[in-house]
Amino acid sequence: MSTAAPAVPAAATPADRLAVLTDVEKRVLWLSTAIIDHANRVRPNPTGLKVGGHQASSASMVTIMTALWFEHLRAEDRVSVKPHASPVLHAVNYLLGELDERYLTTLREFGGLQSYPSRSKDPDPVDYSTGSVGIGATAPIWGALARRYVESKGGGAGTGRQYSLVGDAELDEGACWEAILDPMVAELGEVVWIVDLNRQSLDRVVPNIGALRIQGMFEAAGWQVLTVKYGRLLHELFARPGGDALRRRIDEMPNPEYQRLLRCTPAQLRERLPDCPELAQLVGTLDDETLHAAIRNLGGHDLQAVGDALRAIDDTRPTVILAYTVKGRGLATEGHPQNHSSLLTAEQLAELADAVGASTEAPWARFPAGSAADELCRRTAARLRREPVPALPAVDLPTDIGRTPSGRATTQAALGRTLLDLTRSAPEAAARVVTLCPDVSSSTNLGGWVNKVGVWSAAERRDWFDDDPETILHWRERPTGQHLELGIAEGNLVGLLGELGATWSRWGQPLLPIGVLYDPFVERALEPWSFGIYAGGQSILVGTPSGVSLAPEGGAHQSVTTPSVGLEQPGCITYEPAFAIDVEWTLLASLARLGRPDGTSAYLRLSTRPVDQTLAAVPADPAARERRRKQVVAGAYPLRRAAGTPDVTIASMGAIVPEALAAADRLAEQGIAADVVCVTSPGLLFEAVQARAGHGDAESWVLDAAFPGHRAAPLVTVLDGHPHTLAFLGGIHRQRATHLGVSRFGQSGDLESVYRYHGIGTDGIVAAALDVTDA
């Protein structure tokens, strides 16, 4: 069991140490409260819009965070702070000298402290971005796995615990339990969750928090469970005559009744609390101050009790500390069922200042130089100071492996083929690739790659099927492996994907993470993946198989809206390649954008539809081939040019490109000349259109290459997805346009029937072209 170095001089007595910690605890409470007060009541607000903040939610975490930071945390540890406690984090960072005073007045101001902790936007140290409940809570789990993976590949990630400070209402999120129950997580002894068990949600007191049920669920998942329920005063009272009755009374009362007692005067407590003669006798021996303090003396607000729990952590398995707290502890609003977003009045703030030894006239005052509290802050800052992230190593990737696919192939299979080719053409870069799947490695054509590089595991495990001649996919688990497979929960997959994509900024070790899942389930994974991008996690998400081209599977497995993901997702470029060579070029370009300060994530939408690769008409001339490659990576390329001036342009994407070419042939038979443009990235094309209009700084040359003005003609767009994805192309030259795609749930059937049903087959394209060219 690892322990932190003492943060106060060894000669200090336990009472001295506790007194100094208490001073710091009070100042953290004051600062976090004052930060929110200034944002709402002091800073000018001409618009009158609510600024917001969470004084009560912050207050319930003050003791826990004071004990953690100022006694137990080490430089190598990482902490995910619950979203509504961000002012507490800023207060702690300010006392440690990690945040300039000028930022304390900027909470939720443009360019100031963010609403919730943000690695990329806050000016002070933030280990994990939080804000979307359930995602920030689970991030340290995936951060622990990412650290272990990096460490197994040559070191550089060190050691350290991964703490997650979680509100009890956050445990309602399924993402928490999906992560907790994954079999790989039970091995992560460095993971520690501290649950702020304040028994309130945004709107109400939770009727039955079910702490015993929660405890049982964590224990069933293999976690160590430590409960910090009562403080020293209550434990002392429990030892007195009638103490057993007091403990039973508090343990058995429903949450709303307990919360109501927090709002009672001592006289009301004497009336409401006793339910038996023994308890009445004990209450009668207590003065008003002691009785009032006892009913709110929970373990999560007892520095000694929290410290004892942190010292009891077993580093051989994950740990959860259930810390009972009072929402708003120490504030005039403590325990009120509607205190979630409430603000102290000016009078209440002044009372708090008097209670904690602060001043409303000088709210940001630090501890006097040389005082015990000042010395504790200085020693803690020195202990937690981290070395700068080392310079990033260069990851050289080829732009073109040189293969020209032939025959019939799918873009899904091309993914695995390209990864295998990379191991031969650029082994150093390939060594940084790590792939993830939610139990779909074989069905997404990653079998060859998995057989080649092996499955990652912290320790080598025996493959009991290595001598079975009928086993095609070999599951060799070892520290040298480069493929990770969690359970089937997509949220876990992208949570880990985001943390693997952030190793460049944490330890200076860039990885090239690729997550592969069924495209119909991309939207299920999109929020946590998006949040990972926001937090600096650069990765590639591959959705395959996709669209109604997966015809026999029916509507439940036919994705409709995913083609526009990259069009709308910040920090992401989307590609939907039509041919195997397009997969290679776009994948290599996407890999080259990962693991760097100016990096970008990518989403590739692939298909299981076999396509004749000769339709790609890849130029044989090296210069012409390179020109095609650049166009593919930039978002679109002319696949076929009609002789003379075209009557219509067909812009198609992905699996529907063969139908677009067949439609062009049939139109030519009717004397209608058609250009065919293959779109590979609607997002990049949209950025080019915006840049041409003066919005943004993207390069717009690809528009001239794919849609030159001298060949402007009425436009038909078609894709295996929602037609709005390409609808903006009609505005490039303000031509008449019609847009084909999928806008309703699919049907099971053969490919031709399904395409006909949605109007995206060859007949549908021909008909649309005739309509749009009909004068």
Side-chain angles (χ1 to χ4, degrees), residues 599-632:
T600 304
S601 293
Y603 163 60
L604 272 64
R605 188 175 189 253
L606 307 182
S607 173
T608 51
R609 183 192 180 184
V611 171
D612 180 1
Q613 298 301 303
T614 62
L615 295 176
V618 180
D621 180 80
R625 179 186 176 101
E626 174 60 11
R627 181 171 180 266
R628 165 72 71 83
R629 186 199 66 81
K630 289 181 177 179
Q631 292 172 349
V632 167

PDB file of all heavy atoms in Angstrom, residues 599-632:
ATOM      1  N   GLY A 599      -3.190  18.489 -33.183  1.00  0.00           N
ATOM      2  CA  GLY A 599      -3.767  17.288 -33.764  1.00  0.00           C
ATOM      3  C   GLY A 599      -5.275  17.309 -33.863  1.00  0.00           C
ATOM      4  O   GLY A 599      -5.962  18.172 -33.303  1.00  0.00           O
ATOM      5  N   THR A 600      -5.799  16.325 -34.586  1.00  0.00           N
ATOM      6  CA  THR A 600      -7.225  16.224 -34.866  1.00  0.00           C
ATOM      7  C   THR A 600      -7.635  14.759 -34.875  1.00  0.00           C
ATOM      8  O   THR A 600      -6.895  13.910 -35.370  1.00  0.00           O
ATOM      9  CB  THR A 600      -7.551  16.840 -36.245  1.00  0.00           C
ATOM     10  OG1 THR A 600      -7.087  18.185 -36.285  1.00  0.00           O
ATOM     11  CG2 THR A 600      -9.045  16.833 -36.505  1.00  0.00           C
ATOM     12  N   SER A 601      -8.814  14.487 -34.348  1.00  0.00           N
ATOM     13  CA  SER A 601      -9.362  13.133 -34.417  1.00  0.00           C
ATOM     14  C   SER A 601     -10.011  12.900 -35.778  1.00  0.00           C
ATOM     15  O   SER A 601     -10.180  13.835 -36.574  1.00  0.00           O
ATOM     16  CB  SER A 601     -10.396  12.928 -33.309  1.00  0.00           C
ATOM     17  OG  SER A 601      -9.782  12.950 -32.038  1.00  0.00           O
ATOM     18  N   ALA A 602     -10.383  11.648 -36.034  1.00  0.00           N
ATOM     19  CA  ALA A 602     -11.004  11.316 -37.316  1.00  0.00           C
ATOM     20  C   ALA A 602     -12.053  10.232 -37.119  1.00  0.00           C
ATOM     21  O   ALA A 602     -11.981   9.433 -36.178  1.00  0.00           O
ATOM     22  CB  ALA A 602      -9.956  10.838 -38.323  1.00  0.00           C
ATOM     23  N   TYR A 603     -13.030  10.266 -38.001  1.00  0.00           N
ATOM     24  CA  TYR A 603     -14.062   9.228 -38.035  1.00  0.00           C
ATOM     25  C   TYR A 603     -14.134   8.679 -39.449  1.00  0.00           C
ATOM     26  O   TYR A 603     -14.303   9.423 -40.413  1.00  0.00           O
ATOM     27  CB  TYR A 603     -15.411   9.812 -37.607  1.00  0.00           C
ATOM     28  CG  TYR A 603     -16.614   8.963 -37.985  1.00  0.00           C
ATOM     29  CD1 TYR A 603     -16.741   7.661 -37.516  1.00  0.00           C
ATOM     30  CD2 TYR A 603     -17.611   9.474 -38.807  1.00  0.00           C
ATOM     31  CE1 TYR A 603     -17.837   6.894 -37.861  1.00  0.00           C
ATOM     32  CE2 TYR A 603     -18.719   8.721 -39.149  1.00  0.00           C
ATOM     33  CZ  TYR A 603     -18.824   7.431 -38.682  1.00  0.00           C
ATOM     34  OH  TYR A 603     -19.913   6.662 -39.029  1.00  0.00           O
ATOM     35  N   LEU A 604     -13.941   7.369 -39.584  1.00  0.00           N
ATOM     36  CA  LEU A 604     -14.019   6.696 -40.876  1.00  0.00           C
ATOM     37  C   LEU A 604     -15.253   5.815 -40.902  1.00  0.00           C
ATOM     38  O   LEU A 604     -15.456   4.991 -40.010  1.00  0.00           O
ATOM     39  CB  LEU A 604     -12.772   5.837 -41.133  1.00  0.00           C
ATOM     40  CG  LEU A 604     -11.569   6.530 -41.801  1.00  0.00           C
ATOM     41  CD1 LEU A 604     -11.018   7.626 -40.914  1.00  0.00           C
ATOM     42  CD2 LEU A 604     -10.485   5.498 -42.136  1.00  0.00           C
ATOM     43  N   ARG A 605     -16.076   5.993 -41.918  1.00  0.00           N
ATOM     44  CA  ARG A 605     -17.305   5.201 -42.072  1.00  0.00           C
ATOM     45  C   ARG A 605     -17.073   4.218 -43.218  1.00  0.00           C
ATOM     46  O   ARG A 605     -16.949   4.615 -44.379  1.00  0.00           O
ATOM     47  CB  ARG A 605     -18.488   6.125 -42.356  1.00  0.00           C
ATOM     48  CG  ARG A 605     -19.849   5.438 -42.353  1.00  0.00           C
ATOM     49  CD  ARG A 605     -20.943   6.481 -42.529  1.00  0.00           C
ATOM     50  NE  ARG A 605     -22.280   5.944 -42.336  1.00  0.00           N
ATOM     51  CZ  ARG A 605     -23.165   5.720 -43.302  1.00  0.00           C
ATOM     52  NH1 ARG A 605     -22.849   5.986 -44.565  1.00  0.00           N
ATOM     53  NH2 ARG A 605     -24.360   5.246 -43.027  1.00  0.00           N
ATOM     54  N   LEU A 606     -17.021   2.934 -42.881  1.00  0.00           N
ATOM     55  CA  LEU A 606     -16.662   1.909 -43.858  1.00  0.00           C
ATOM     56  C   LEU A 606     -17.828   0.966 -44.117  1.00  0.00           C
ATOM     57  O   LEU A 606     -18.802   0.934 -43.377  1.00  0.00           O
ATOM     58  CB  LEU A 606     -15.437   1.133 -43.371  1.00  0.00           C
ATOM     59  CG  LEU A 606     -14.215   1.978 -42.988  1.00  0.00           C
ATOM     60  CD1 LEU A 606     -13.058   1.087 -42.577  1.00  0.00           C
ATOM     61  CD2 LEU A 606     -13.807   2.913 -44.126  1.00  0.00           C
ATOM     62  N   SER A 607     -17.673   0.167 -45.166  1.00  0.00           N
ATOM     63  CA  SER A 607     -18.771  -0.682 -45.633  1.00  0.00           C
ATOM     64  C   SER A 607     -18.299  -2.110 -45.869  1.00  0.00           C
ATOM     65  O   SER A 607     -17.116  -2.359 -46.140  1.00  0.00           O
ATOM     66  CB  SER A 607     -19.345  -0.101 -46.938  1.00  0.00           C
ATOM     67  OG  SER A 607     -20.299  -0.978 -47.498  1.00  0.00           O
ATOM     68  N   THR A 608     -19.235  -3.046 -45.785  1.00  0.00           N
ATOM     69  CA  THR A 608     -18.947  -4.442 -46.114  1.00  0.00           C
ATOM     70  C   THR A 608     -19.354  -4.771 -47.546  1.00  0.00           C
ATOM     71  O   THR A 608     -19.316  -5.938 -47.947  1.00  0.00           O
ATOM     72  CB  THR A 608     -19.709  -5.389 -45.179  1.00  0.00           C
ATOM     73  OG1 THR A 608     -21.091  -5.024 -45.165  1.00  0.00           O
ATOM     74  CG2 THR A 608     -19.166  -5.340 -43.774  1.00  0.00           C
ATOM     75  N   ARG A 609     -19.715  -3.773 -48.335  1.00  0.00           N
ATOM     76  CA  ARG A 609     -20.131  -4.051 -49.705  1.00  0.00           C
ATOM     77  C   ARG A 609     -18.904  -4.238 -50.602  1.00  0.00           C
ATOM     78  O   ARG A 609     -18.084  -3.328 -50.747  1.00  0.00           O
ATOM     79  CB  ARG A 609     -20.969  -2.908 -50.265  1.00  0.00           C
ATOM     80  CG  ARG A 609     -21.463  -3.231 -51.663  1.00  0.00           C
ATOM     81  CD  ARG A 609     -22.052  -2.050 -52.385  1.00  0.00           C
ATOM     82  NE  ARG A 609     -22.502  -2.468 -53.704  1.00  0.00           N
ATOM     83  CZ  ARG A 609     -22.992  -1.645 -54.619  1.00  0.00           C
ATOM     84  NH1 ARG A 609     -23.110  -0.358 -54.352  1.00  0.00           N
ATOM     85  NH2 ARG A 609     -23.371  -2.109 -55.793  1.00  0.00           N
ATOM     86  N   PRO A 610     -18.741  -5.396 -51.242  1.00  0.00           N
ATOM     87  CA  PRO A 610     -17.617  -5.581 -52.171  1.00  0.00           C
ATOM     88  C   PRO A 610     -17.794  -4.696 -53.396  1.00  0.00           C
ATOM     89  O   PRO A 610     -18.883  -4.616 -53.978  1.00  0.00           O
ATOM     90  CB  PRO A 610     -17.689  -7.060 -52.545  1.00  0.00           C
ATOM     91  CG  PRO A 610     -18.569  -7.694 -51.503  1.00  0.00           C
ATOM     92  CD  PRO A 610     -19.533  -6.631 -51.094  1.00  0.00           C
ATOM     93  N   VAL A 611     -16.723  -4.022 -53.770  1.00  0.00           N
ATOM     94  CA  VAL A 611     -16.753  -3.097 -54.908  1.00  0.00           C
ATOM     95  C   VAL A 611     -15.600  -3.436 -55.839  1.00  0.00           C
ATOM     96  O   VAL A 611     -14.485  -3.749 -55.395  1.00  0.00           O
ATOM     97  CB  VAL A 611     -16.641  -1.637 -54.420  1.00  0.00           C
ATOM     98  CG1 VAL A 611     -16.454  -0.682 -55.582  1.00  0.00           C
ATOM     99  CG2 VAL A 611     -17.877  -1.255 -53.619  1.00  0.00           C
ATOM    100  N   ASP A 612     -15.867  -3.357 -57.129  1.00  0.00           N
ATOM    101  CA  ASP A 612     -14.835  -3.556 -58.141  1.00  0.00           C
ATOM    102  C   ASP A 612     -13.817  -2.424 -58.034  1.00  0.00           C
ATOM    103  O   ASP A 612     -14.132  -1.258 -58.296  1.00  0.00           O
ATOM    104  CB  ASP A 612     -15.480  -3.562 -59.529  1.00  0.00           C
ATOM    105  CG  ASP A 612     -14.467  -3.762 -60.649  1.00  0.00           C
ATOM    106  OD1 ASP A 612     -13.262  -3.916 -60.361  1.00  0.00           O
ATOM    107  OD2 ASP A 612     -14.887  -3.727 -61.829  1.00  0.00           O
ATOM    108  N   GLN A 613     -12.591  -2.755 -57.666  1.00  0.00           N
ATOM    109  CA  GLN A 613     -11.588  -1.732 -57.410  1.00  0.00           C
ATOM    110  C   GLN A 613     -11.080  -1.052 -58.678  1.00  0.00           C
ATOM    111  O   GLN A 613     -10.497   0.035 -58.603  1.00  0.00           O
ATOM    112  CB  GLN A 613     -10.415  -2.330 -56.620  1.00  0.00           C
ATOM    113  CG  GLN A 613     -10.811  -2.850 -55.253  1.00  0.00           C
ATOM    114  CD  GLN A 613     -11.409  -1.774 -54.366  1.00  0.00           C
ATOM    115  OE1 GLN A 613     -10.778  -0.755 -54.107  1.00  0.00           O
ATOM    116  NE2 GLN A 613     -12.652  -1.986 -53.915  1.00  0.00           N
ATOM    117  N   THR A 614     -11.316  -1.646 -59.831  1.00  0.00           N
ATOM    118  CA  THR A 614     -10.880  -0.981 -61.063  1.00  0.00           C
ATOM    119  C   THR A 614     -11.711   0.273 -61.338  1.00  0.00           C
ATOM    120  O   THR A 614     -11.286   1.152 -62.094  1.00  0.00           O
ATOM    121  CB  THR A 614     -10.984  -1.930 -62.267  1.00  0.00           C
ATOM    122  OG1 THR A 614     -12.353  -2.325 -62.462  1.00  0.00           O
ATOM    123  CG2 THR A 614     -10.120  -3.166 -62.052  1.00  0.00           C
ATOM    124  N   LEU A 615     -12.893   0.364 -60.714  1.00  0.00           N
ATOM    125  CA  LEU A 615     -13.703   1.564 -60.885  1.00  0.00           C
ATOM    126  C   LEU A 615     -13.010   2.797 -60.327  1.00  0.00           C
ATOM    127  O   LEU A 615     -13.336   3.932 -60.721  1.00  0.00           O
ATOM    128  CB  LEU A 615     -15.058   1.390 -60.195  1.00  0.00           C
ATOM    129  CG  LEU A 615     -15.999   0.314 -60.749  1.00  0.00           C
ATOM    130  CD1 LEU A 615     -17.252   0.211 -59.889  1.00  0.00           C
ATOM    131  CD2 LEU A 615     -16.365   0.618 -62.198  1.00  0.00           C
ATOM    132  N   ALA A 616     -12.066   2.612 -59.425  1.00  0.00           N
ATOM    133  CA  ALA A 616     -11.343   3.746 -58.857  1.00  0.00           C
ATOM    134  C   ALA A 616     -10.458   4.430 -59.887  1.00  0.00           C
ATOM    135  O   ALA A 616     -10.125   5.611 -59.715  1.00  0.00           O
ATOM    136  CB  ALA A 616     -10.495   3.295 -57.665  1.00  0.00           C
ATOM    137  N   ALA A 617     -10.083   3.712 -60.922  1.00  0.00           N
ATOM    138  CA  ALA A 617      -9.254   4.285 -61.997  1.00  0.00           C
ATOM    139  C   ALA A 617      -8.057   5.042 -61.430  1.00  0.00           C
ATOM    140  O   ALA A 617      -7.808   6.211 -61.755  1.00  0.00           O
ATOM    141  CB  ALA A 617     -10.093   5.194 -62.895  1.00  0.00           C
ATOM    142  N   VAL A 618      -7.300   4.366 -60.572  1.00  0.00           N
ATOM    143  CA  VAL A 618      -6.147   5.007 -59.943  1.00  0.00           C
ATOM    144  C   VAL A 618      -5.102   5.302 -61.009  1.00  0.00           C
ATOM    145  O   VAL A 618      -4.695   4.400 -61.762  1.00  0.00           O
ATOM    146  CB  VAL A 618      -5.546   4.099 -58.857  1.00  0.00           C
ATOM    147  CG1 VAL A 618      -4.339   4.761 -58.207  1.00  0.00           C
ATOM    148  CG2 VAL A 618      -6.606   3.766 -57.806  1.00  0.00           C
ATOM    149  N   PRO A 619      -4.645   6.550 -61.127  1.00  0.00           N
ATOM    150  CA  PRO A 619      -3.659   6.889 -62.176  1.00  0.00           C
ATOM    151  C   PRO A 619      -2.372   6.095 -62.004  1.00  0.00           C
ATOM    152  O   PRO A 619      -1.897   5.887 -60.877  1.00  0.00           O
ATOM    153  CB  PRO A 619      -3.426   8.383 -61.972  1.00  0.00           C
ATOM    154  CG  PRO A 619      -4.642   8.878 -61.244  1.00  0.00           C
ATOM    155  CD  PRO A 619      -5.066   7.733 -60.363  1.00  0.00           C
ATOM    156  N   ALA A 620      -1.799   5.669 -63.108  1.00  0.00           N
ATOM    157  CA  ALA A 620      -0.537   4.929 -63.064  1.00  0.00           C
ATOM    158  C   ALA A 620       0.655   5.868 -62.929  1.00  0.00           C
ATOM    159  O   ALA A 620       1.669   5.509 -62.329  1.00  0.00           O
ATOM    160  CB  ALA A 620      -0.387   4.068 -64.317  1.00  0.00           C
ATOM    161  N   ASP A 621       0.541   7.064 -63.492  1.00  0.00           N
ATOM    162  CA  ASP A 621       1.637   8.021 -63.419  1.00  0.00           C
ATOM    163  C   ASP A 621       1.842   8.474 -61.969  1.00  0.00           C
ATOM    164  O   ASP A 621       0.867   8.832 -61.286  1.00  0.00           O
ATOM    165  CB  ASP A 621       1.322   9.240 -64.292  1.00  0.00           C
ATOM    166  CG  ASP A 621       2.433  10.263 -64.241  1.00  0.00           C
ATOM    167  OD1 ASP A 621       3.434  10.079 -64.936  1.00  0.00           O
ATOM    168  OD2 ASP A 621       2.293  11.244 -63.472  1.00  0.00           O
ATOM    169  N   PRO A 622       3.071   8.459 -61.457  1.00  0.00           N
ATOM    170  CA  PRO A 622       3.310   8.820 -60.052  1.00  0.00           C
ATOM    171  C   PRO A 622       2.799  10.215 -59.686  1.00  0.00           C
ATOM    172  O   PRO A 622       2.220  10.402 -58.613  1.00  0.00           O
ATOM    173  CB  PRO A 622       4.829   8.720 -59.911  1.00  0.00           C
ATOM    174  CG  PRO A 622       5.260   7.786 -60.990  1.00  0.00           C
ATOM    175  CD  PRO A 622       4.316   8.018 -62.132  1.00  0.00           C
ATOM    176  N   ALA A 623       3.020  11.183 -60.548  1.00  0.00           N
ATOM    177  CA  ALA A 623       2.563  12.540 -60.245  1.00  0.00           C
ATOM    178  C   ALA A 623       1.041  12.607 -60.220  1.00  0.00           C
ATOM    179  O   ALA A 623       0.445  13.261 -59.350  1.00  0.00           O
ATOM    180  CB  ALA A 623       3.127  13.525 -61.260  1.00  0.00           C
ATOM    181  N   ALA A 624       0.418  11.929 -61.175  1.00  0.00           N
ATOM    182  CA  ALA A 624      -1.049  11.933 -61.207  1.00  0.00           C
ATOM    183  C   ALA A 624      -1.619  11.172 -60.013  1.00  0.00           C
ATOM    184  O   ALA A 624      -2.653  11.559 -59.453  1.00  0.00           O
ATOM    185  CB  ALA A 624      -1.533  11.311 -62.509  1.00  0.00           C
ATOM    186  N   ARG A 625      -0.946  10.114 -59.609  1.00  0.00           N
ATOM    187  CA  ARG A 625      -1.390   9.352 -58.435  1.00  0.00           C
ATOM    188  C   ARG A 625      -1.327  10.221 -57.178  1.00  0.00           C
ATOM    189  O   ARG A 625      -2.266  10.230 -56.361  1.00  0.00           O
ATOM    190  CB  ARG A 625      -0.512   8.103 -58.276  1.00  0.00           C
ATOM    191  CG  ARG A 625      -0.869   7.228 -57.063  1.00  0.00           C
ATOM    192  CD  ARG A 625       0.144   6.107 -56.908  1.00  0.00           C
ATOM    193  NE  ARG A 625      -0.096   5.307 -55.711  1.00  0.00           N
ATOM    194  CZ  ARG A 625      -0.694   4.113 -55.694  1.00  0.00           C
ATOM    195  NH1 ARG A 625      -1.129   3.577 -56.827  1.00  0.00           N
ATOM    196  NH2 ARG A 625      -0.849   3.460 -54.563  1.00  0.00           N
ATOM    197  N   GLU A 626      -0.219  10.967 -57.024  1.00  0.00           N
ATOM    198  CA  GLU A 626      -0.073  11.829 -55.865  1.00  0.00           C
ATOM    199  C   GLU A 626      -1.129  12.938 -55.884  1.00  0.00           C
ATOM    200  O   GLU A 626      -1.666  13.317 -54.827  1.00  0.00           O
ATOM    201  CB  GLU A 626       1.330  12.430 -55.822  1.00  0.00           C
ATOM    202  CG  GLU A 626       1.568  13.456 -54.735  1.00  0.00           C
ATOM    203  CD  GLU A 626       1.368  12.929 -53.321  1.00  0.00           C
ATOM    204  OE1 GLU A 626       1.238  11.701 -53.136  1.00  0.00           O
ATOM    205  OE2 GLU A 626       1.332  13.757 -52.388  1.00  0.00           O
ATOM    206  N   ARG A 627      -1.459  13.436 -57.077  1.00  0.00           N
ATOM    207  CA  ARG A 627      -2.511  14.446 -57.181  1.00  0.00           C
ATOM    208  C   ARG A 627      -3.848  13.871 -56.727  1.00  0.00           C
ATOM    209  O   ARG A 627      -4.596  14.514 -55.979  1.00  0.00           O
ATOM    210  CB  ARG A 627      -2.598  14.926 -58.638  1.00  0.00           C
ATOM    211  CG  ARG A 627      -3.650  15.998 -58.899  1.00  0.00           C
ATOM    212  CD  ARG A 627      -3.480  16.534 -60.318  1.00  0.00           C
ATOM    213  NE  ARG A 627      -4.459  17.554 -60.617  1.00  0.00           N
ATOM    214  CZ  ARG A 627      -5.639  17.343 -61.212  1.00  0.00           C
ATOM    215  NH1 ARG A 627      -5.974  16.090 -61.561  1.00  0.00           N
ATOM    216  NH2 ARG A 627      -6.466  18.340 -61.460  1.00  0.00           N
ATOM    217  N   ARG A 628      -4.140  12.654 -57.149  1.00  0.00           N
ATOM    218  CA  ARG A 628      -5.371  11.997 -56.706  1.00  0.00           C
ATOM    219  C   ARG A 628      -5.359  11.815 -55.188  1.00  0.00           C
ATOM    220  O   ARG A 628      -6.373  12.057 -54.521  1.00  0.00           O
ATOM    221  CB  ARG A 628      -5.519  10.646 -57.404  1.00  0.00           C
ATOM    222  CG  ARG A 628      -6.565   9.699 -56.784  1.00  0.00           C
ATOM    223  CD  ARG A 628      -8.003  10.121 -57.023  1.00  0.00           C
ATOM    224  NE  ARG A 628      -8.392   9.943 -58.391  1.00  0.00           N
ATOM    225  CZ  ARG A 628      -8.823   8.797 -58.936  1.00  0.00           C
ATOM    226  NH1 ARG A 628      -8.920   7.718 -58.177  1.00  0.00           N
ATOM    227  NH2 ARG A 628      -9.159   8.736 -60.203  1.00  0.00           N
ATOM    228  N   ARG A 629      -4.241  11.380 -54.650  1.00  0.00           N
ATOM    229  CA  ARG A 629      -4.165  11.155 -53.201  1.00  0.00           C
ATOM    230  C   ARG A 629      -4.472  12.425 -52.424  1.00  0.00           C
ATOM    231  O   ARG A 629      -5.240  12.414 -51.447  1.00  0.00           O
ATOM    232  CB  ARG A 629      -2.780  10.635 -52.806  1.00  0.00           C
ATOM    233  CG  ARG A 629      -2.669  10.230 -51.327  1.00  0.00           C
ATOM    234  CD  ARG A 629      -1.218  10.164 -50.863  1.00  0.00           C
ATOM    235  NE  ARG A 629      -0.592  11.471 -50.872  1.00  0.00           N
ATOM    236  CZ  ARG A 629      -0.738  12.377 -49.895  1.00  0.00           C
ATOM    237  NH1 ARG A 629      -1.494  12.112 -48.848  1.00  0.00           N
ATOM    238  NH2 ARG A 629      -0.134  13.549 -49.980  1.00  0.00           N
ATOM    239  N   LYS A 630      -3.888  13.532 -52.832  1.00  0.00           N
ATOM    240  CA  LYS A 630      -4.124  14.796 -52.147  1.00  0.00           C
ATOM    241  C   LYS A 630      -5.591  15.189 -52.201  1.00  0.00           C
ATOM    242  O   LYS A 630      -6.151  15.715 -51.234  1.00  0.00           O
ATOM    243  CB  LYS A 630      -3.261  15.896 -52.757  1.00  0.00           C
ATOM    244  CG  LYS A 630      -1.775  15.764 -52.437  1.00  0.00           C
ATOM    245  CD  LYS A 630      -0.980  16.904 -53.060  1.00  0.00           C
ATOM    246  CE  LYS A 630       0.494  16.813 -52.679  1.00  0.00           C
ATOM    247  NZ  LYS A 630       1.294  17.900 -53.301  1.00  0.00           N
ATOM    248  N   GLN A 631      -6.235  14.936 -53.335  1.00  0.00           N
ATOM    249  CA  GLN A 631      -7.648  15.261 -53.463  1.00  0.00           C
ATOM    250  C   GLN A 631      -8.503  14.360 -52.557  1.00  0.00           C
ATOM    251  O   GLN A 631      -9.453  14.821 -51.923  1.00  0.00           O
ATOM    252  CB  GLN A 631      -8.091  15.132 -54.919  1.00  0.00           C
ATOM    253  CG  GLN A 631      -7.485  16.189 -55.837  1.00  0.00           C
ATOM    254  CD  GLN A 631      -7.775  15.928 -57.306  1.00  0.00           C
ATOM    255  OE1 GLN A 631      -8.255  14.850 -57.672  1.00  0.00           O
ATOM    256  NE2 GLN A 631      -7.477  16.897 -58.156  1.00  0.00           N
ATOM    257  N   VAL A 632      -8.153  13.080 -52.516  1.00  0.00           N
ATOM    258  CA  VAL A 632      -8.868  12.146 -51.640  1.00  0.00           C
ATOM    259  C   VAL A 632      -8.793  12.624 -50.190  1.00  0.00           C
ATOM    260  O   VAL A 632      -9.802  12.680 -49.474  1.00  0.00           O
ATOM    261  CB  VAL A 632      -8.290  10.722 -51.772  1.00  0.00           C
ATOM    262  CG1 VAL A 632      -8.803   9.825 -50.659  1.00  0.00           C
ATOM    263  CG2 VAL A 632      -8.632  10.129 -53.134  1.00  0.00           C
TER     264      VAL A 632
END
